[in-house]
Amino acid sequence: MQSSLSVSDSDGSSFAPLVVLELAEDTEAETITWLLNRIKDKQQNGGDGDDFLSIAECQYIIKHELDTLRAKGESHVPGYAKVKLYPGKSVIRRLQSKAILLQYFPLHDKEELKRLSVSWYRKIKLSFQPLDDIRHYFGEGLALYFGFLEYFTFALVPMALIGIPYYLFAWEDYDKYVLFAVFNLVWSTVFLEVWKRCSAQLAYGWGTLSRKKAFEEPRPGFHGALGFNPVTGREEPVYPNTKRQLKIYLVSVPFVILCLYLSLYVMMIYFDMEYWALSIYNEDPNLWTSVLLFIPSIIYAVVIEIMNLLYRYAAEFLTGWENHRLESSFQNHLVLKVLVFNFINCFASLFYIAFVMQDMVLLRQSLATLLITSQILNQIMEAFLPYWLQRRRNKKVHKRVRRLLGDRELPLVEQVQLEGDMYTYLGTFDDYLEQFLLFGYVSLFSCVYPLSALLVVLNNVTEVYSDAFKMCKVFKRPFSEPASDIGVWQLAFETMSAIAVVTNCALIALSPQVKAYFPEGETQLILTVVAVEHVILAFKFILAFIIPDVPKHIQIKLAKLEFESLEALKKKVNT
């Protein structure tokens, strides 16, 4: 049985641990004492003394203190002469790499979790999510993700309702999809502008909107020679920026280009399979050969998901190897690598079919197959598989607990063991990435497959319940992350929206109905489409400039608070 340390908010008889550190079974007592003393020293010297913090905020502070715990003058871990400590390097990472510290995580609050589960996912109902309760329990970062997921789903409803009659009554008349493409242009433009205001409203209610960006400490994985930081006046790791840039441009960039080439190569294999299936169907059209027409797209969709998964691990390894000092820099480089590959890997075939082959029937078929297959795979991988594995893993533990305790409350030790075996939540990165790709499918090509929005709505409704269930029952409780917006993902969605403008304008230009207005040639058509596309993009930027990200009434409240703070400071200085 592994030994566990608990960082608690109470020293009295009612022991209420906040964070559990799980150590290896054979950990030396000397090591445990040393680690406890280092944590206590860190909290006394740099801990937050605010008594009005929520449990989630306290857990965030504790995680920050643990991550920034670095070697002082020790040459090795006490009790382990062979485990050396290096000045400036993370103590926690070193202990984890040597399997002394197995994991550390915050415990669930059983009563609060039960109340949250009842109001969140246990009853299927048509209502808004309890975002304030989610924020209180999991923090602002996760609450903003669920807020965005909810907003995105409701924003898709008008497009889904319009798409149903288009699908039913204009299936083979692609010229009528010009109107749907125009609606798509307007929707993708307004969608993100309204979200920024909704996001500001949520952040203001949670008190994070006016929070200034905190000074960032070096990330836990950052390493380098020990140097002096003139800002903090402390010694900390220093890594040459030139060396990092060389790693990026000589290794990471060529690797990404190689992966993009492999993705395009796989795409061409997919088209060969499409031609093969089509030739068989043309030779003998029947039920089986008509089903065969969908097989290449299904196989390609599965391959895309596998390639995305493998590339994600490679990108994370490369970004860590680049040794970025700040977590924000690490996340920005990781997001850029992943988005570029995922965009090409998921959408390159659709662009090729639309603008090179100009085959709208195949485009509709490929889009439908890719979208449906990816949604099915995501639901299996994100909901059913983790639930099944977790249930199988905990089955014996639950039986043993029920046999020993009956209906009595689960003891603390048993709770720690049970939650220690749960999966670790890796953050909202993959969740935002999934919504980014779904937004791409809808905003780029839904005019040729109007049911796209409806499928995404159905997917997101199940996503809300499956993600809520996973957060409450499958994953360990994550450390909360304070946030005032969705961060770099806002820029990612805005970039996709701009690409959607260009794509939909080009699709409109391909319509025979539009081409009929330009009998003299394609040059005038192309120039007109480019001009219209530039006007729409300019309108998007003007709209973003005119409409403030923060609603006026919130701006007034923030200004009033700032004024009152200054007045109070003046009175304090005068007295």
Side-chain angles (χ1 to χ4, degrees):
M1 172 181 171
Q2 289 86 3
S3 57
S4 298
L5 301 176
S6 296
V7 181
S8 173
D9 64 343
S10 174
D11 294 328
S13 58
S14 58
F15 183 63
L18 293 177
V19 178
V20 174
L21 284 78
E22 184 179 354
L23 303 174
E25 184 178 357
D26 56 351
T27 304
E28 300 290 340
E30 182 183 0
T31 307
I32 298 175
T33 303
W34 166 77
L35 182 58
L36 279 173
N37 290 333
R38 287 301 311 274
I39 292 173
K40 290 177 181 178
D41 291 341
K42 183 75 173 177
Q43 288 181 314
Q44 289 172 359
N45 296 330
D48 197 314
D50 196 338
D51 295 329
F52 299 99
L53 295 174
S54 68
I55 297 298
E57 288 170 327
C58 291
Q59 290 170 341
Y60 167 75
I61 291 172
I62 292 172
K63 179 180 184 298
H64 174 76
E65 299 295 340
L66 291 174
D67 287 344
T68 56
L69 192 67
R70 301 186 184 275
K72 287 184 176 179
E74 307 96 337
S75 60
H76 63 277
V77 176
Y80 295 88
K82 294 183 179 180
V83 181
K84 295 183 178 180
L85 290 176
Y86 301 97
K89 288 192 176 181
S90 170
V91 170
I92 296 298
R93 285 294 181 96
R94 186 64 175 162
L95 294 176
Q96 286 181 314
S97 66
K98 295 299 181 180
I100 298 173
L101 175 63
L102 303 181
Q103 60 179 337
Y104 61 102
F105 58 93
L107 281 178
H108 278 292
D109 185 305
K110 290 176 286 186
E111 292 302 321
E112 281 197 33
L113 186 63
K114 185 177 180 180
R115 287 194 295 268
L116 177 61
S117 300
V118 171
S119 63
W120 196 4
Y121 73 89
R122 284 191 176 178
K123 295 180 181 178
I124 299 178
K125 51 187 178 181
L126 294 175
S127 63
F128 295 104
Q129 299 176 86
L131 295 179
D132 291 334
D133 295 337
I134 297 170
R135 175 257 174 180
H136 177 76
Y137 192 81
F138 290 111
E140 294 87 5
L142 198 63
L144 275 172
Y145 160 69
F146 281 102
F148 177 80
L149 179 61
E150 179 179 276
Y151 168 80
F152 183 30
T153 305
F154 277 103
L156 283 170
V157 171
M159 185 177 289
L161 294 177
I162 295 174
I164 293 173
Y166 259 89
Y167 177 84
L168 294 176
F169 304 118
W171 178 246
E172 298 298 338
D173 189 358
Y174 293 103
D175 293 341
K176 293 182 180 178
Y177 292 161
V178 172
L179 295 177
F180 198 87
V182 173
F183 175 78
N184 213 345
L185 287 171
V186 177
W187 178 86
S188 62
T189 301
V190 175
F191 165 73
L192 293 171
E193 293 304 318
V194 177
W195 160 248
K196 285 191 285 189
R197 294 171 66 85
C198 293
S199 174
Q201 186 80 41
L202 290 173
Y204 174 77
W206 298 333
T208 59
L209 180 61
S210 58
R211 178 183 294 175
K212 297 186 185 301
K213 188 176 181 180
F215 175 78
E216 285 192 82
E217 295 278 358
R219 51 186 295 271
F222 177 66
H223 58 85
L226 200 61
F228 178 77
N229 188 328
V231 177
T232 62
R234 300 196 303 256
E235 286 188 328
E236 65 178 43
V238 177
Y239 192 78
N241 185 57
T242 305
K243 191 173 181 180
R244 183 183 302 112
Q245 296 301 321
L246 288 174
K247 286 183 175 182
I248 292 174
Y249 290 106
L250 296 183
V251 178
S252 297
V253 172
F255 176 78
V256 172
I257 294 174
L258 176 63
C259 290
L260 295 177
Y261 171 78
L262 291 175
S263 174
L264 295 176
Y265 184 78
V266 171
M267 181 189 75
M268 299 313 296
I269 295 176
Y270 155 67
F271 286 126
D272 289 339
M273 294 173 61
E274 283 284 0
Y275 292 139
W276 169 76
L278 185 61
S279 63
I280 292 179
Y281 175 78
N282 290 333
E283 291 177 1
D284 183 20
N286 55 55
L287 176 63
W288 295 108
T289 54
S290 61
V291 172
L292 183 64
L293 290 175
F294 292 92
I295 298 300
S297 296
I298 295 175
I299 295 175
Y300 185 50
V302 174
V303 171
I304 284 177
E305 293 298 321
I306 294 174
M307 291 176 67
N308 285 343
L309 183 63
L310 295 176
Y311 178 83
R312 165 67 195 278
Y313 290 123
E316 198 162 352
F317 171 80
L318 271 180
T319 310
W321 176 71
E322 291 166 5
N323 196 27
H324 295 276
R325 179 179 178 274
L326 303 178
E327 183 65 27
S328 59
S329 176
F330 175 87
Q331 289 296 329
N332 290 340
H333 282 80
L334 178 61
V335 167
L336 181 61
K337 289 187 185 72
V338 172
L339 289 189
V340 169
F341 179 81
N342 277 257
F343 182 84
I344 299 297
N345 198 35
C346 294
F347 301 118
S349 62
L350 300 178
F351 279 104
Y352 186 86
I353 295 171
F355 303 116
V356 178
M357 300 173 62
Q358 297 186 13
D359 187 341
M360 295 302 157
V361 176
L362 181 57
L363 178 61
R364 180 195 66 201
Q365 173 189 318
S366 298
L367 175 60
T369 307
L370 288 175
L371 183 58
I372 294 172
T373 305
S374 64
Q375 288 182 350
I376 292 174
L377 291 175
N378 283 329
Q379 290 296 329
I380 292 174
M381 296 300 294
E382 293 186 6
F384 298 108
L385 185 60
Y387 170 71
W388 179 77
L389 291 175
Q390 186 64 33
R391 189 174 182 180
R392 183 180 178 184
R393 177 182 294 179
N394 292 341
K395 193 173 182 180
K396 293 182 179 179
V397 178
H398 282 298
K399 283 185 177 179
R400 180 163 58 88
V401 170
R402 283 197 297 268
R403 186 171 62 251
L404 294 174
L405 301 175
D407 296 330
R408 286 178 294 171
E409 188 178 357
L410 191 68
L412 179 60
V413 175
E414 294 288 351
Q415 182 187 354
V416 170
Q417 291 179 347
L418 190 64
E419 294 186 21
D421 289 336
M422 290 180 172
Y423 291 96
T424 301
Y425 182 63
L426 299 178
T428 56
F429 186 97
D430 290 325
D431 298 314
Y432 278 121
L433 178 61
E434 179 186 354
Q435 296 305 310
F436 172 80
L437 295 177
L438 292 176
F439 177 70
Y441 284 123
V442 171
S443 61
L444 294 175
F445 298 106
S446 62
C447 62
V448 297
Y449 185 60
L451 284 185
S452 299
L454 178 63
L455 293 176
V456 174
V457 168
L458 296 176
N459 175 84
N460 283 1
V461 169
T462 59
E463 187 86 11
V464 168
Y465 286 96
S466 63
D467 283 354
F469 172 80
K470 287 187 298 182
M471 295 309 304
C472 295
K473 293 296 183 182
V474 176
F475 291 127
K476 298 182 184 73
R477 183 178 184 176
F479 287 98
S480 68
E481 291 290 341
S484 59
D485 51 41
I486 62 175
V488 69
W489 291 102
Q490 180 72 37
L491 177 61
F493 279 92
E494 289 175 355
T495 304
M496 180 68 82
S497 177
I499 296 173
V501 170
V502 180
T503 304
N504 280 277
C505 286
L507 288 172
I508 291 172
L510 291 177
S511 168
Q513 196 176 38
V514 174
K515 287 182 178 180
Y517 290 98
F518 301 91
E520 299 178 358
E522 292 187 354
T523 303
Q524 189 178 3
L525 172 61
I526 294 174
L527 292 175
T528 303
V529 169
V530 171
V532 171
E533 166 253 314
H534 277 66
V535 169
I536 296 175
L537 287 176
F539 173 73
K540 282 176 65 70
F541 290 119
I542 293 172
L543 191 67
F545 179 77
I546 293 176
I547 300 177
D549 295 345
V550 180
K552 187 67 175 178
H553 69 280
I554 293 181
Q555 293 182 29
I556 294 173
K557 290 180 180 179
L558 291 175
K560 187 177 180 180
L561 286 174
E562 186 177 357
F563 172 76
E564 291 174 351
S565 300
L566 288 174
E567 289 297 311
L569 183 61
K570 288 178 182 179
K571 290 180 180 180
K572 187 175 182 180
V573 171
N574 292 332
T575 55

